[in-house]
Amino acid sequence: MPIVTSTEMFKKAYEGGYAIGAFNVNNMEIIQGITEAAAETRSPLILQVSAGARKYAKHVYLMKLVEAAEADTGLPICLHLDHGENFEVCKSCIDGGFTSVMIDGSKHPFEDNIALTKQVVDYAHAHGVVVEGELGRLEGVEDDVVVSAENSSYTDPAQVEEFVSRTGVDSLAIAIGTSHGAYKFKPGVKPQLRFDILKEVEKRLPGFPIVLHGASSVIPEFVETINAYGGKLNDAIGVPEDMLREAARMAVCKINIDSDLRLALTAGVRKHLAENPANFDPRQYLIPGRDNIRDLVRHKITDVLGSNDRI
Ligand code: G3H
Ligand code: 13P
Ligand code: ZN
């Protein structure tokens, strides 16, 4: 099966009350860990690449690695650009074989966001590629750009119908209180998401796939391992998994996970190197990192997203 768009995945996920995991990839070990778990659990999959990942690994390497993962597993994989900043980066990914792009115009005023998103949609659809847009702004760090709490904003449900109909986007990312990175909520304060906004968006856009960014749970086991072996991650807090389960049952069809993968890989590598100080073979110290990613993704698919046994 060639690399696919997310159209069919989202239709089934919406109807079935589950979500597809969209996992950020930067190298071979991350791709192998994720796809091994998805193949084991028979789950459709979105692998997503940020501008930073393209800069780190080069587009062609990531493209070929994802093609290799598809050939190795036979999984339906959608290859998606995460947080495309402008038309040029989206065009470059569309021309370079991606099946899905996100144009993130959320930092622009409403009319400018619509114009930019529509420009990308027109080009993408003419090339058989689907587009994710964003309304509302998440707090946190994306590609070295820090969005402060004051500059973040919840999605206004009153804008979603106009945005979707004027742009023609295929899915919409909304801001309901999640954020990027490992520090999503203040210590001692009960994490809360604006499910009322999600409900209102769902009512206004029946059947339309919604995307949740910043959805890592910051698994305590990995944070504790990192800290036990010389790391310093104080007060890291993620989205409680019950909230992700609830979102997946609702209109959320795509759940973005990056930080959890980074923590899983780092925990495995740190522990291995601390316990084997004489080792300097990357093939040995990357294995526990890759295994942690596989176990994490298996857990997400079967215990949180519900996308297992859907192919
Ligand atoms: O939303 C941002 C993702 O976590 C990607 O992060 O830009 O550092 O690759 P990155
Ligand atoms: P996390 O930092 O919560 O993993 O979010 C990832 C994300 O939204 C990628 O677009
Ligand atoms: Zn994101």
Side-chain angles (χ1 to χ4, degrees):
M1 181 183 288
I3 305 216
V4 297
T5 71
S6 50
T7 308
E8 195 63 21
M9 295 182 190
F10 288 168
K11 190 171 176 297
K12 289 187 182 159
Y14 198 102
E15 285 163 5
Y18 62 93
I20 310 292
F23 300 97
N24 284 72
V25 299
N26 294 278
N27 67 14
M28 182 185 77
E29 286 74 17
I30 296 173
I31 291 172
Q32 288 179 333
I34 297 166
T35 51
E36 193 181 336
E40 251 180 50
T41 55
R42 300 191 50 72
S43 170
L45 190 61
I46 299 172
L47 296 179
Q48 58 188 11
V49 168
S50 67
R54 282 177 97 224
K55 195 165 149 202
Y56 170 75
K58 284 194 183 175
H59 181 99
V60 66
Y61 284 84
L62 293 168
M63 187 74 221
K64 297 291 174 196
L65 284 169
V66 171
E67 282 172 359
E70 188 281 321
D72 187 37
T73 60
L75 282 174
I77 299 177
C78 168
L79 179 54
H80 174 78
L81 168 67
D82 191 27
H83 293 285
E85 207 195 340
N86 50 44
F87 176 77
E88 288 67 32
V89 67
C90 293
K91 180 178 183 302
S92 161
C93 287
I94 293 164
D95 294 346
F98 281 34
T99 49
S100 175
V101 293
M102 174 188 192
I103 175 67
D104 184 354
S106 60
K107 64 170 181 276
H108 300 297
F110 186 61
E111 283 297 328
D112 296 355
N113 188 359
I114 287 185
L116 176 61
T117 304
K118 179 156 173 28
Q119 187 191 10
V120 172
V121 168
D122 288 345
Y123 189 80
H125 285 181
H127 292 79
V129 169
V130 293
V131 180
E132 172 185 328
E134 179 164 328
L135 264 183
R137 247 193 129 191
L138 270 69
E139 186 186 339
V141 186
E142 276 166 36
D143 247 341
D144 302 333
V145 177
V146 180
V147 180
S148 64
E150 308 84 71
N151 287 331
S152 65
S153 60
Y154 294 119
T155 301
D156 176 359
Q159 293 184 324
V160 298
E161 291 142 295
E162 185 181 350
F163 185 82
V164 167
S165 68
R166 285 180 61 195
T167 59
V169 280
D170 303 280
S171 61
L172 181 68
I174 62 169
I176 59 168
T178 61
S179 59
H180 292 109
Y183 304 90
K184 300 185 190 297
F185 300 99
K186 295 208 165 48
V189 180
K190 193 167 175 267
Q192 275 183 330
L193 296 186
R194 293 287 305 272
F195 279 99
D196 57 319
I197 294 179
L198 174 56
K199 243 180 227 151
E200 188 56 32
V201 169
E202 185 177 80
K203 212 167 87 190
R204 287 167 181 262
L205 296 173
F208 192 80
I210 299 303
V211 178
L212 195 62
H213 283 249
S216 280
S217 303
V218 186
I219 311 271
E221 176 199 325
F222 294 135
V223 174
E224 280 157 24
T225 302
I226 290 170
N227 287 341
Y229 292 99
K232 220 171 177 201
L233 296 172
N234 299 325
D235 299 331
I237 302 172
V239 181
E241 289 188 332
D242 262 346
M243 292 187 183
L244 300 177
R245 290 185 186 99
E246 190 176 344
R249 281 193 296 269
M250 296 172 70
V252 170
C253 294
K254 173 174 180 272
I255 291 193
N256 284 12
I257 296 174
D258 185 2
S259 298
D260 276 340
L261 300 167
R262 298 179 183 199
L263 292 166
L265 180 63
T266 304
V269 172
R270 269 197 184 271
K271 182 167 188 291
H272 181 90
L273 288 176
E275 288 173 351
N276 302 275
N279 178 39
F280 59 95
D281 184 343
R283 292 170 304 182
Q284 289 178 26
Y285 62 73
L286 287 171
I287 284 177
R290 184 174 64 182
D291 287 352
N292 277 357
I293 286 185
R294 180 200 57 214
D295 295 348
L296 165 79
V297 173
R298 189 196 294 118
H299 160 69
K300 291 287 177 188
I301 286 173
T302 56
D303 297 338
V304 182
L305 305 167
S307 65
N308 50 302
D309 299 315
R310 308 286 184 174
I311 50 175

